[in-house]
Structures are given as C-alpha cells and as structure tokens.
C-alpha cells in the first residue's frame, strides 16, 4: 500500500498556495480519489488544500475505522483499516477563513475469486455439440471480471460483466457450445479469470484445473482380411481394419476370435485406420468363423467372415528312371493322396508348359516321353489344387538326368580369341555332355591350362587342338589365339596441383609424376621460388616451396626416361586478404517485444583496442548486464513504450561509433468477434461485420473473412501509423448464393510480426449462413374428376426452392381436411405427395401451402367427386341347346351426376344402344354362337371427359359330336422312332371324348407315343358326349429307314486267289431300300460271281437307301496268296551304309505274311529279330514260307559311308598375295569317293583350277563334299592382301593460305593390311595430326607452315607417298599489328621459353628432336615411334 510522501505534498501545497493567491480562492483535494482495496484491507487517505491560512484545519469524515493520522501544512492523512464495506465514500474537508470545502473519495472493496471450477465433460463424439461450463465463485466486483475459456493456446470464448453493477460478491457461470474435431483430442481446456483493478490495484488472475478433451469417432463397420481358404496346420494372418476411427492410436479396443476361440493379436494404427492383426493355425478341416469387435469410447461395432479350412497333402511325383540314356523311354507319374474336400485337380508341367491335366477327383496322371539331350536337367512339377480353393496350389518337383556324349560349339569354346600382350586372360573351352566332359587343349603337342588366369605373351599366339570326352564318346575343336602388342618407349608427365593458389608468404607441396616404367627414371622441379624439403618414390618426386612472396610464378616438372625428356608447366598465384574498418553493431537491430516485456540487446565492435569501452543509451529500464572482450549485453525490462530506439556506442583509439536498435511493442488481439446474421434471402445483399479489439501495432494486422476454406475478404492496415493499441472494424458485403447455405463464416486476425517476432492468429466463433429462396408459387397435380371411394394422388410441387431438402415445410388439405403426405426433393424442386379417397360425390378443394425460412406461398385447385356404378349384363340361358332362343338384358344403376348412356355389343359390332335404364335383345343359338362374348357398356360424360365402364358375359351353345376328314383323317403315315399321336378330333359341346382301338388294344387319341412298327394297322375311332356319338375308321402306315446287319451283309470275308466268289449284301427297310457297293470309287456288282484276283482285296463301301435315309457298311475282303520275292523287297545286291540307322532287310510278298530265314556259312537268321552283326557283309540264302507255298533268293551285302572333311584336308583360312597363282583345293574322305566343289559365298560359279588372284577374290568360300550317302560342308576364308596406294591428298580450303587462317590436309590410302600414315611437314608448333594420322591440321598459319607436306603410307607389302605445296601469304597490316603486340609483350616481361610436347598418337603435335637439329623440318611421328621435344622461341 502506498505511504504519504510529505516532501512531494509540501511541494504540491506550495504550488497550489501560489496559484490560490493569484486567484484569491482555495481548493481541497483527496488522494487517492477512487482507491480499490482488498476486502478487510487498509488504505491511507490524504486530504490537502491550497488555503494559505496557517490556522486552516482539515479532517476526514467516514464510517470506516480510522487509526493513524499524520498532519502537515495544508494537508492531513488518515489510515483506514479493516475495510469490509463493499463501497464507501469518506469526506475530506477543510475550513479556511470561515469557508468550508468538501471532496469525496470513492473506496471500492474487491475479493479475488474463491474458486474457479470447469465442469467435467464426458467422452465426446466427433461432430456432436456439447456445452463447456465454467463457474467462478464468490468474486467482487463482478463488473471488473473477465472469464476466458481456452483450449491449449487458443481462446474459445471470452465474457465480461460490465453491466453487473452489484458491488458485493457474487457467483458467475459461463457456458460455451463446442463441436469437437479430431484436433481437439487430448487438448486441455481451462477457465481463466481476470479481476482487472488497474490502475489502482494489480491485475488479479486465476484459473481452473485443466479438463482434457477425449474425442472419439467410430462411424464405419470393421473390415476383415483373411484368406478364404486355410490349410490345416498352416499359420494365416487374420486382420481386422476399421477406418475413420478416432483416435486410432491406443484408443481402439479389439476382440478377435476364430472358430469361437479368442486370438492373440497386435494393434497398429496409421492416420485414421486401426488394425488388429493376429495369427490362426487351425488343426482340423471344416468351415470356421472369424469375428472381430472394435470399441472406441462407449461405441462398439462387429463383423464376421467365413473361412474354409482344408487339407491338401503334398502331391507325389515319380519318374520310372531319373537317370537314363538318351533316346530311352520314361514315364512321369503325378498323383495326390487323400484330401479334404476331395475335389483335387492335378496337372503335370515342366518349366515351359502344362503337359497334362486331370478331371476333378482324378487322383493320378501319367506322361510318357522319349528322352533327348534337351531333356537333361528338365524339371517336372506335379501341381495339386482344390477346385473349391483354386488359389491354393501344392507342388512337387523332380529332375530328369539324360546321359549323352560330348558336343562343342562357339558358345562354350569359341574358335578364335584376340588378346593383348601383358594383359591377364583366361583360356576357356567348355563342352556340353553328361556326364560333364573332360576337356584337354594342346598347342604343338603341349597341354595348355584351361580356366587359369595368366599374363599374355606373344608366344601364346597359335592354334590349340581341344578334345572333350566322357564315357559316352568324344568331340574335338581347333581354337586360334591372336596376340596384339604395342610399341615401347612412350610415357607421360603430370603435376599436382595443376594451378595452385597460396596465401602470400605461405608454403605448398608440388608433386611431379610420370608413367615411365624405367626404374632409373629421374625427375626434378625448376622454379625461382625457395625449395626446401623433397620426397621421392617410384615414378614421382615432391618438393616443398616456402615463403611464396611472388604474386605470380611459374615452375616446370621434368622427367628423363631412357634418354628422353618430358616437361610440364604450372603457375602459382599468391593472395592477401584486405583490411576491414572498425565498426559497431547491435543485435538484434530490429525486434518486437510483448507490451511490458523484456529483451536482451548485445553491442559489439570490430575494434581490436584492448581498452575499447562501450555502453547503451535508452529511456527504457535497464536490468542485468554482461560483458566480454569487445562486447556488452544489457537486459531491458518492463518495456511499455510502443516504439523505442536504444543506441549502442564504443570508444576505440579515441573515436566513437554508434549503432541504433529499433524496438516495437505489441499486444495480441483481446477478442475477435463476428456479428450474427439473419436468414439470408438468395441474391439479396448483406453486410458481414468483424470487430478486433485492443490490438497493437495495427499496421501489422491482417483481418480475413472466410467462408469454409474460401477467403471472402482480406484487409490490411499498413497506413495506420498509430503505435498504441486500437480497435478495428472490418465490413464486407455478401450476396448469398445457394452453395453458401450451411457454410460457416469466420473472422481471422493475424498479427504478423515476422521475421522479428511471432505470428499471432486469432479467430472468431463461426457463424453459419442460412440461405433461402421461394420465388415461385406451388403447382398442384391431381385428377379433376375422382370417383367416390377411389384413391387418387394429390401432389404439390414447388420449383426454384432453396434449400429443398429438409427445409421446405408443406401443408396439404383436401375438402378442408389435412392430408398425410411425404416430401421428396430433386435438385431445386420439393414435392409433397399424399392420397385422397372421397366417400361422397360433389365439388372439393385441394389446398397446398409451402414455407421456406420466413416466406410462405399457397395454391388451390377444384376437384369434382362423382359416382358411376358398374353396368349389369344378364343372359337368361347362359348354356343353351343349339337352335334355342336366348334373351340378353343390359342395365345401368343411377349415377351422380346423372346422364349415363348404354350400349350392348359383341366382339364385332354394336347390337343395341340408348339412354334408357335397360336394353334387351333376343337371338336363336347356333353352333357359331358357342363362346360368343357380349358386353354391356355404360358411358358417363363429365364436361370434356368421358368415363366408360363395362360388364361382359359369354354364351355357351351345346350340340352332339361329329367326325370328318379334316379333324380325323382316314389314312395317316408315321415314321418309326418319332413321337406321334393318333390325329382324330371331334366337334361337339361339351367336348367329346375320343377313343380308338385296333383289335382288342385301345389307344387314347390325345396321347403321344414313340412310333414302332407294331403301330401299323386299321383303327376304329369313336367320339361321345352327353348329346350323342360318332364313329370313323383310320389306317396307320409305319415307315422306317434302311438297316444292315451281319446276317445280310457280313463285314469281313476271306478269299483265296484263283477261286470263284460273289459279293452278297442285303438290307431291311420300308420302303424297300436299294443296295450299291463300290471299291475305290468304282461300282461293284452285288451278287455277281467272279474268279478271285489279288486286286479284289480291299474295302468295299456298301450303301442301302430309301426315302427315310441310308445305311452304310464297310465290307473288307482279304485275298490270300503264296510267297514271292523280288528285287525291290529283297535286293540281291544290298549296300550297308556305315553310321546309318537302317538294318538289313529282305521282305517277301505273300498273305499270310511269309516267314523269311536267311542262311550264311551254315548259320540261319530270322530277319524279324534282326541280324545283330557288327560286320554283316557277305552272301546269304534267304527262304520265305506261308501256308500257300514258298520262295528262295540269294543276297550279297557290301559297305559304304558318307563324306567327311577336317582342317588337315581342307584348311579353314588361306592368305594370298594379289597377282600370284593359287588353287582353292579341298579333299574329303568317303565311299564312293566324294566330289568337292568350292564356291564363293553369294556366287553361283565354282572356284576351279589355278588362277591369278586379285583382291576381289577375298571372302568366304563354301566347299561341299558330296556322294550318294550325304554331304559335308566347310567354310574357307580367303584373304587377298595388296600393297598400299595413296588415293587422295587434298587441302581445305586451298593450298594458298592467308596468314593467321586455318587449313587441313587429308590423306586417304587403300591397302591390305590397312596402311599406316606418316607425314613429313615444315616444323611448326601449330601442326596437329588426327587420331589415325590421316589428316594434318594447322591453326593460325604463319611463315613456318610454308613448304611441302608429304604423306607416306605403308604396310607389309610396300609403301607409297603423295605430296603438295602450301603457300602462306603475308599481310603487312597484320604484320605491323603483330609487331606492336610483340613489343608490348616484351615491355611487360612476358617473353619466355616454351616447350611443346607431343604424344605418339600425334594428338599433341610431337616432333623428332634429332631430325630437327639437323634439318629445317620436323617429322610428325606415328603411334609406334618414340617421343621427342623440340625447343622453339616465341615469335
């Protein structure tokens, strides 16, 4: 509590006394004027006056307790204690020279809230509305209270009570509706109170205990994931997913069971999905149920799924022999043990395709095959699956091993290899075969290692003879290796780093290295800089350069290798950092601080003076201080100034430098409010108003009005320069549209202090837009005429209504009574539909009223309710005998309104009509009237509408039966095997019963029968009803197609040559069939006797035909005869071809087949069993025998074989020199002796005899050895070589070149082997050669490039050259310019020595030093030459 300060009071009294003397009056004042005191607390009240009378007296009148008192000139002070009155007004008074003046002090008493309570909430369902309630107990004065509901750092609601004028303590309740969202879960809601007593007393704040929001959502049923089919004993994953669940993590509770047993499971979450995953392992087959129940908060949902547990054993795969010889037979068997359910499907497959499939429940499959080489390692798979669970497949696999001899080809053993000398290579030659063949390769009879990596030597070149063998045979192949090698003597020199940059006065290591393989190679470093340490190793040397004070210096690395020298150059650059001036800086330079907050400012300098001193000048309150070398930091507290600019300063060597900081204070918005809107009519303009209270600085504020996720309006206030807190109002006009309905509009404030401070965002409670439209009158739909007792639909439509769904309110009434109805909507149309059922006739009114929002519209329609009874039709004899009279009567009961007309008619015409109540008609019944339909029709006309009702009746005429040809034909033909009924119908009423009989057998004329031949004959048919009987005879004929059997036409017959026989063939049928027999398409007489010959043997096709079809039968006649042997079936001279699969054969003609026995050297051989001889050559006596006789023949066997060729008899490669004589000759082995012609690939003519060869003879020739048993083909490669010749020597652009221009000389030559190029050119540093040496390029031609350029080409067979003269023209102006340039360079000291180094490939323009020393020209070297340097002076 504040105490009186006498010194200040005396000063104030002196001033007021002086003022009073001037005015001639006095004043009385009281301090404090309106104190705020805690309930039961104390306060000093000071009364003072400007009266100058020394006898002035003052006092304080109050009902409160006064204790201490203090007095001074013109003032008096009293201590008031134990203040328990909530409001009191003590009086200060002074008496001055007989006059009294009084002033009042208004004392208010306050009490901080006794308790702040926020009521607990249940678990909150997502999207449902709940109320937050905060209770503040026993607080005073309430008008100074502010209650704020906060969620985390966000304000939900703020409420003040300025209108509560009661001074004493009171309880306060604040309620706020919330609709929980996902982001609210786990957030803490608190209630905060602020009793704001400033400026008299402190700002008292209190808060409730936090209440945690528990939000949940479980809108969807769980989804199960498990295999629909699980095998007994298998583990399967059972998964239960629930989506849109909230919160998923840790809150979703699962129960998972399979087959009635609970599962162990784990729960995982991802976004709004929770998943329970467990494992099932069923031990028996059958149907099982997987069930999942999910609970979140107080809500649970369940789902189930049926699973088939099956048993499917592994299938069995058997191979009769898993290891067999090539061309042997094998059977692969696939079978399945017992499964549940038993519907197993099998299939046998290999890696490429399915070989065979089974039918359902077929337990075994067989697959026979003959094994080939390609089957070696072939994998067979037996697959079994259940038809009811076709996704489940089980497999058993086995491999077949096929044994066969070796085979060699280019894929495993290439015929040619090309290696480079000195490289690491592996000789590889592999053969195919099973067992795996062993491969041996020899060169010049010496074995060579296969599969071993070794360094290539020149002597490795040559032909290697490789042989592969295993237990089933052998194969051989020649392999040629070519070795290439490079010329010796070239090397490179390099330097690292290539262009170093070093701080002035510092050091650096320079490393020189070379590719020279000579261990005696030596290197050095030439430089004007100081060299100290050095290091060296194989092919490298390094030097340390110290104290580098030259800004630019050059050095050169040099190596000597086998008497040759190479040099490379590099440059070193030095640098020095610039000096910086002395300055002062402050951090942060710009800052924002909460109103009344704190900040640290750091002042620093770049001054290096140890005596430098600094400080901070500011009107703000300074607190803590920290210092260091050349820096100082100060804490500024209680910053109430809205804008301030503290200054940092430093003294350095007598100079002072300053830097300013800029501090801005801010206050986040106290409240953001959006004014409520009425219901909005579509298309009409309305104003949205948002108020932002007590915010600073406003220029950083942005206010945004949003509708849903769309921004309606954004307003900024950069022009508001006032720094202090202010209120802001933002207004935006909206014209509501349909899509705005139900949208929430919010006001958002953003106090953006970035990048110096934070972004403070606030928002108002959402205001929901309620949009409506009802521009049209409703439209009624109902029939204008409704019959009494009928139901009719009454419909009321209103269009362009908005919102239609759930908002349009209807009232629908008929005849003054409200109807029940349903309301439906479609787009912008709302419809109310009900049902009316009037019970009396007359006029009625249908009325509809529609309301949307505050607007209603109505419509009405008149309806006529009428009565129209059904007309009556009577027939006095509805069942009348033929030729009797019948009376018909048509009547109509009375209608409302009256006016019915009648009409009596049948199906063809009107019989009578009129207005009378009844119409009558009499007629005589005839047979034609039976079933005649009569109709009595009434017609009621109501205005333009007519209503028709009718009643019908049928007349039945009775008469006796009759049978005639049309209904009962006297002759009928049936076809055997068809479905037929005896067609006999009688006319009569009632319908007669018809029966037919043949002999004693009675047949139902209406029944269907399968026709047999026994149905043929004469039937007596009778028709009977109650009025009489009729009879008729009917004859049935049964026909059938031809038939042939062994009794009439035997299928097989055996005849003997030279006997007499006839072909007999009879057939059955109705009509009688005709029989025709043919052999080989030619007719053969049936029943004609002939002498049997061999040509009569064969198959005869006999056909019997009638009108109902035909029958076919094949008759086979076998003609037997005695044996005979001819040259074709048993040649007397037989040739055995070696290696061919044929066996010796000697066949005899005869039926039955004769047995042939051949005898040689007293030994007999049955040819059906094979001779079985390794060498069957010789002479045999062969005898053929059957039951009809025998035959004999002598046979001689000789040996022949097909051609073969190899490298020895036909070399595969030939190298010839153009212009020499050569013959392309190849020999082959074979009996008979083969002929071997050779022809060039793609040519038709043979290469015959000796010829003078040319380069056109180069290419591949195919030599083919041929005899009658086959052929052998071999490729021979002929390479014709020839000496080189220069074909072209051309200069571009011309042979006369201006100085400074570029030109190229191209040399093109032909030769075999390909020629090498070599140039002789005028020595100059700007000459360069292409990669293959065929082109010389000159860049920037000068006088050194004048002269003769010679191109030499050479190969193993000779050389050739071409030359041309190049002229370089001079230009005096250019020469003068260059002379001036050279003089400038000389003045700058840039003249020096340049070395040009060139590579063996002429890419870098090398020159021969030795040639250059002795002549004026230099030679550009080829790839295989040594490397030299030539020293040239720059010109």
């Amino acid at each position: 509590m504040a105490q009186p300060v006498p010194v200040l009071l005396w000063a104030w009294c002196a001033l007021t006394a002086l003022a009073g003397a001037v005015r001639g009056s006095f004043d009385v004042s009281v301090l404090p004027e309106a104190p705020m005191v805690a309930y039961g607390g104390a306060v000093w009240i000071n009364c003072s006056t400007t009266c100058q009378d020394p006898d002035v007296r003052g006092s304080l009148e109050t009902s409160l307790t006064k204790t201490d008192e203090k007095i001074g000139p013109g003032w008096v002070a009293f201590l008031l204690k134990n203040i328990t009155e909530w409001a009191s007004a003590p009086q200060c008074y002074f008496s001055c020279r007989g006059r009294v003046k009084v002033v009042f002090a208004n004392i208010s008493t306050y009490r901080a809230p006794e308790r702040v309570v926020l009521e607990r909430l249940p678990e909150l369902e997502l999207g449902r509305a709940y109320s937050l309630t905060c209770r503040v107990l026993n607080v005073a004065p309430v008008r100074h209270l502010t209650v704020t509901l906060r969620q985390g750092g966000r304000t939900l609601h703020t409420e003040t009570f300025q209108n509560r004028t009661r001074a004493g303590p009171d309880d306060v309740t604040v309620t706020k509706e919330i609709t929980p969202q996902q982001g609210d879960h786990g957030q803490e809601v608190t209630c905060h109170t602020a009793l704001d007593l400033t400026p008299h007393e402190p700002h008292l704040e209190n808060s409730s205990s936090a209440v945690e929001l528990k939000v949940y959502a479980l809108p969807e049923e769980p989804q199960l994931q498990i295999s629909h089919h699980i095998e007994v004993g298998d583990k399967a994953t059972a998964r239960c997913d629930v989506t849109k669940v909230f919160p998923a993590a840790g809150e979703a509770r699962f129960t998972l069971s399979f087959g009635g047993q609970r599962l162990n499971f784990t729960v995982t979450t991802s976004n709004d999905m929770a998943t329970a995953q467990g494992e099932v392992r069923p031990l028996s087959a059958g149907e099982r149920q997987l069930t999942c129940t999910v609970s979140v908060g107080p809500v649970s949902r369940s789902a189930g799924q049926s699973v088939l547990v099956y048993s499917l054993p592994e299938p069995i795969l058997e191979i009769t022999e898993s290891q067999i010889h090539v061309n042997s037979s094998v059977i692969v068997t696939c079978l399945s043990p017992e499964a549940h359910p038993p519907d197993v499907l099998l299939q046998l497959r290999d890696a490429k395709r399915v070989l065979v499939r089974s039918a359902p429940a077929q337990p075994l499959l067989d697959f026979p095959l003959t094994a080939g080489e390609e089957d070696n390692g072939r994998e067979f798979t037996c697959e079994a699956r259940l038809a009811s669970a076709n996704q489940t497949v089980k497999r058993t696999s086995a491999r077949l091993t096929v044994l066969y001899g070796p085979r060699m080809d280019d894929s495993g053993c290439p015929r040619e290899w090309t290696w480079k000398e000195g490289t690491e290579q592996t000789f590889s030659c592999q053969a195919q075969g099973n067992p795996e063949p062993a491969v041996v390769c020899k060169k010049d009879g010496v074995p060579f290692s296969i599969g071993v990596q070794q360094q290539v030597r020149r002597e490795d070149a040559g032909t290697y003879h490789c042989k592969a063998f295993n237990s089933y045979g052998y194969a051989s192949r020649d392999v040629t290796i070519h070795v290439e090698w490079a010329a010796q003597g070239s090397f490179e020199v390099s330097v690292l780093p290539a262009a170093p940059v070093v701080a002035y006065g510092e050091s650096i290591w320079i490393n020189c290295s070379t590719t020279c393989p000579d261990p005696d190679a030596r290197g050095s470093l030439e430089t004007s800089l100081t060299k100290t340490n050095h290091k060296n190793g194989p092919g490298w040397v390094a030097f340390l350069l110290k104290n580098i004070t030259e800004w630019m210096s050059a050095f050169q690395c040099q190596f000597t290798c086998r008497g040759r020298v190479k040099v490379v150059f590099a440059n070193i650059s030095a640098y020095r950092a610039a000096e910086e001036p002395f300055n002062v800086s402050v951090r942060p330079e710009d800052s924002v601080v909460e109103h009344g907050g704190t900040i640290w400012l750091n002042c620093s300098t770049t001054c290096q003076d140890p005596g430098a001193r600094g400080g901070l000048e500011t009107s703000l309150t300074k607190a803590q201080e920290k210092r260091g070398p050349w820096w100082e930091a100060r804490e500024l507290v209680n910053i109430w100034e809205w804008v301030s600019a503290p200054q940092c300063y430093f003294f350095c060597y007598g100079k002072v430098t300053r830097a300013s900081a800029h501090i801005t204070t801010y206050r986040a918005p106290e409240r953001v409010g959006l004014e409520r809107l009425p219901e909005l009519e579509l298309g009409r303009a309305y104003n949205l108003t948002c108020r932002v209270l007590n915010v600073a600085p406003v220029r950083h504020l942005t206010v945004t009005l949003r509708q849903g996720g769309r921004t309606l309006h954004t307003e900024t206030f950069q022009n508001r320069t006032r720094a202090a807190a202010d209120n802001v109002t933002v207004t935006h006009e909206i014209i509501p549209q349909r899509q705005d309905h139900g949208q929430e509009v919010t006001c958002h404030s953003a106090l953006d202090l970035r990048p110096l401070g934070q972004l403070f965002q606030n928002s108002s409670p959402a205001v929901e837009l309620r949009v409506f439209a009802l521009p049209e009158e409703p439209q009624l739909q109902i029939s204008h005429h409704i019959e009494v007792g009928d139901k009719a639909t009454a419909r009321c439509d209103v269009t362009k209504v908005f919102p239609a769904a759930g908002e349009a309110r209807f009232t629908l009434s008929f005849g003054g009574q409200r109807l029940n109805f349903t309301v439906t909507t479609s787009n912008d149309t709302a419809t109310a539909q009900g049902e009316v059922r009037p019970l009396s006739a007359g006029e009625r009114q249908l009325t509809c009223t529609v309301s949307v929002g505050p607007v209603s519209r109505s419509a009405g329609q008149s309806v006529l309710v009428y009565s129209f009874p059904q007309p009556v039709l009577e027939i006095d004899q509805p069942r009348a005998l033929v030729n009797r009279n019948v009376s018909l009567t048509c009547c109509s009961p009375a209608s409302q309104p009256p006016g019915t007309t009648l009409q009596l008619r049948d199906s063809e015409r009107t019989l009578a009509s009129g207005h009378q109540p009844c119409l009558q008609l009499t007629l005589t019944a005839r047979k034609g009237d039976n079933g005649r339909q009569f109709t009595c029709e009434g017609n009621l006309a109501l205005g333009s509408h007519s209503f028709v009702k009718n009643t019908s009746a049928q007349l039945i005429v009775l008469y006796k039966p009759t049978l005639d040809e049309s209904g009962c034909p006297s002759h009928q033909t049936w076809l055997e095997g068809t479905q037929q009924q005896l067609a006999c119908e009688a006319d009569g009423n009632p319908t007669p019963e018809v029966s037919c009989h043949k002999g004693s057998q009675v047949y139902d004329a209406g029944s269907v029968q399968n026709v047999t031949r026994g149905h043929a004959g004469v039937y007596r048919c009778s028709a009977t009803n109650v009025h009489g009987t009729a009879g008729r005879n009917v004859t049935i004929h049964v026909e059938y197609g031809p038939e042939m059997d062994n009794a009439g036409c035997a299928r097989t017959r055996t005849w003997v040559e030279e006997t007499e026989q006839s072909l007999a063939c009879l057939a059955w049928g109705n009509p009688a069939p005709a029989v025709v027999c043919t052999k080989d398409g030619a007719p053969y007489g049936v029943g004609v006797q002939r002498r049997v010959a061999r040509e009569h043997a064969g198959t005869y096709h006999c056909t019997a035909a009638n009108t109902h079809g035909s029958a076919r039968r094949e008759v086979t006649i076998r003609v037997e005869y005695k044996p005979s042997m001819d040259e074709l079936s048993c040649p007397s001279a037989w040739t055995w071809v070696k290696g061919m699969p044929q066996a010796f054969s000697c066949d005899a003609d005869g039926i039955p087949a004769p047995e042939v026995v051949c005898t040689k050297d007293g030994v007999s051989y049955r040819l059906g069993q094979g001779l079985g001889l390794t060498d069957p050559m010789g002479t045999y006596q062969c005898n053929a025998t059957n039951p009809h006789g025998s035959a004999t023949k002598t046979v001689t066997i000789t040996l022949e074989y097909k051609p073969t060729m190899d490298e020895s008899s036909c070399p595969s490669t030939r190298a010839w020199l153009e212009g020499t004589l050569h013959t392309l000759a190849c020999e082959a082995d074979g009996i008979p002796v083969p002929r071997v012609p050779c022809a060039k690939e793609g040519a038709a003519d043979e290469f015959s005899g000796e010829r003078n060869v040319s380069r056109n003879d180069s290419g591949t020739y195919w030599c083919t050895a041929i005899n009658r048993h086959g052929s052998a083909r071999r490729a021979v490669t002929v390479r014709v070589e020839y000496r080189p010749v220069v074909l072209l020597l051309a200069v571009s652009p011309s042979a006369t070149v201006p100085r400074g221009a570029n030109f190229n000389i191209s040399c093109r030559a032909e030769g075999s082997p390909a020629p090498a190029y070599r140039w002789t050119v005028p020595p100059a540093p700007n000459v360069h050669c292409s990669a293959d040496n065929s082109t010389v390029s000159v860049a920037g031609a000068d006088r050194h490039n004048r002269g003769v350029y010679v191109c030499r080409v050479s190969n193993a067979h000779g050389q050739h050259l071409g030359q041309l003269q190049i002229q370089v023209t001079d230009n005096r102006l250019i020469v003068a310019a260059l002379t001036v340039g050279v003089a400038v360079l000389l003045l700058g000291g840039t003249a020096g020595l340049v070395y040009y180094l060139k590579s063996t490939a002429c890419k870098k323009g090398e020159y021969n030093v030795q040639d250059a020393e002795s002549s004026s020209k230099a030679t550009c070297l080829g790839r295989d030459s040594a490397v030299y340097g030539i020293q040239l002076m720059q010109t």
Side-chain angles (χ1 to χ4, degrees), residues 472 776 862 1186 1319:
Y472 294 92
E776 303 287 340
S862 181
N1186 76 358
W1319 289 86

Side-chain angles (χ1 to χ4, degrees), residues 887-962:
S887 178
L888 290 82
T889 304
C890 171
C891 297
S892 173
S895 62
Q896 182 64 36
T900 302
T901 59
L902 290 176
Q903 189 178 77
L904 180 62
R905 55 185 175 81
D906 63 8
S907 59
E908 297 178 354
R909 60 192 177 90
T910 300
L911 305 176
S913 62
H915 289 278
Q916 57 268 47
C918 292
L919 299 175
Q920 195 165 21
L921 179 68
T922 301
L923 57 85
T924 301
R926 308 294 182 191
K927 278 188 180 182
D929 293 329
N930 183 42
R932 185 176 178 186
Q933 190 86 9
F934 296 93
T935 300
C936 176
E937 182 176 281
N939 187 303
L940 177 64
L942 298 176
S944 61
H945 293 272
S946 292
F947 298 92
V948 177
K949 290 190 177 182
N950 53 58
T951 302
S952 298
Q954 190 176 49
L955 176 63
I956 304 299
V957 178
L958 305 176
Y959 51 93
K960 69 179 183 178
T962 59

Side-chain angles (χ1 to χ4, degrees), residues 1288-1308:
L1288 172 69
L1289 186 62
V1291 61
S1292 175
S1294 72
T1296 300
V1297 183
R1299 183 169 184 172
N1302 302 338
F1303 67 91
N1304 298 322
I1305 304 176
S1306 297
C1307 184
R1308 298 291 180 266

Side-chain angles (χ1 to χ4, degrees), residues 1264-1420:
T1264 306
I1266 306 169
N1267 68 10
R1268 63 170 171 261
H1269 299 302
S1271 63
R1273 195 165 184 243
R1274 187 169 178 84
V1276 177
T1277 301
V1278 174
R1279 185 175 72 253
V1280 178
E1281 299 180 347
Y1282 48 92
R1283 66 190 299 273
V1285 61
V1286 175
L1287 300 177
L1288 172 69
L1289 186 62
V1291 61
S1292 175
S1294 72
T1296 300
V1297 183
R1299 183 169 184 172
N1302 302 338
F1303 67 91
N1304 298 322
I1305 304 176
S1306 297
C1307 184
R1308 298 291 180 266
E1310 181 183 30
S1312 178
Y1317 292 86
R1318 190 164 180 258
W1319 289 86
T1320 300
V1321 300
N1326 56 347
V1327 180
H1328 303 277
C1329 295
S1330 64
D1332 62 354
N1333 262 19
S1334 64
T1335 301
V1336 169
S1337 299
V1338 174
D1342 59 20
R1343 59 186 179 83
H1344 297 95
N1345 301 120
R1346 300 171 183 165
V1348 177
Y1349 289 72
V1350 179
C1351 172
R1352 288 184 176 86
V1353 295
S1354 62
N1355 67 7
H1357 302 298
Q1359 65 177 355
H1360 191 236
L1361 62 84
Q1363 65 181 30
L1364 56 81
Q1365 180 79 30
I1366 296 298
Q1367 295 294 330
V1368 179
T1369 60
D1370 199 2
N1371 187 308
R1372 296 183 179 275
L1373 294 176
I1374 296 174
V1375 170
L1378 289 174
T1379 303
V1380 172
V1382 168
V1384 172
L1385 290 173
L1386 291 173
L1387 289 174
T1390 59
L1393 189 63
V1394 180
Y1395 281 84
Y1396 292 91
L1397 300 178
K1398 308 299 174 180
S1399 70
T1400 58
C1402 285
K1403 290 182 180 178
K1404 299 180 181 177
E1406 296 172 356
Y1407 294 84
N1408 190 305
V1409 174
Q1410 296 171 351
D1411 292 347
E1413 290 174 349
S1414 61
S1415 74
S1416 60
K1417 296 182 178 180
T1419 301
C1420 181

